[in-house]
Amino acid sequence: MIVTKILDSQDLIDDARALLYNEYIKIGLWQFSDDNPSKLKVVTKNKRNFLVDRIDQHAIWFGAFDGDK
């Protein structure tokens, strides 16, 4: 069963940001320019890497999950 929910806590949002980093940068080996139009950047906090953009503080986050995936 697929469940969609709003990520309404900082921990859940940080988990999503870390997942984006893991999938795109670590596993996908995606290289992007520091001067990219969306201002995507990697931020490290508490020894965790996150992929964030310039409007990240104003974004609405939601997740679609299938079990624990």
Side-chain angles (χ1 to χ4, degrees), residues 2-68:
I2 295 177
V3 176
T4 302
K5 70 178 187 176
I6 295 172
L7 304 182
D8 58 359
S9 74
Q10 191 61 52
D11 288 340
L12 291 173
I13 293 170
D14 283 347
D15 288 346
R17 291 174 177 158
L19 177 63
L20 290 173
Y21 171 82
N22 191 56
E23 294 299 316
Y24 288 117
I25 307 299
K26 190 174 178 185
I27 293 173
L29 302 175
W30 181 40
Q31 303 277 327
F32 58 86
S33 172
D34 290 335
D35 64 348
N36 63 76
S38 65
K39 304 297 184 208
L40 287 171
K41 61 184 175 183
V42 174
V43 173
T44 302
K45 181 173 81 172
N46 298 328
K47 298 183 181 179
R48 286 180 80 191
N49 291 318
F50 305 98
L51 185 61
V52 300
D53 66 20
R54 65 184 167 157
I55 60 171
D56 205 58
Q57 298 303 318
H58 308 287
I60 296 172
W61 284 84
F62 70 94
F65 303 90
D66 184 2
D68 64 351

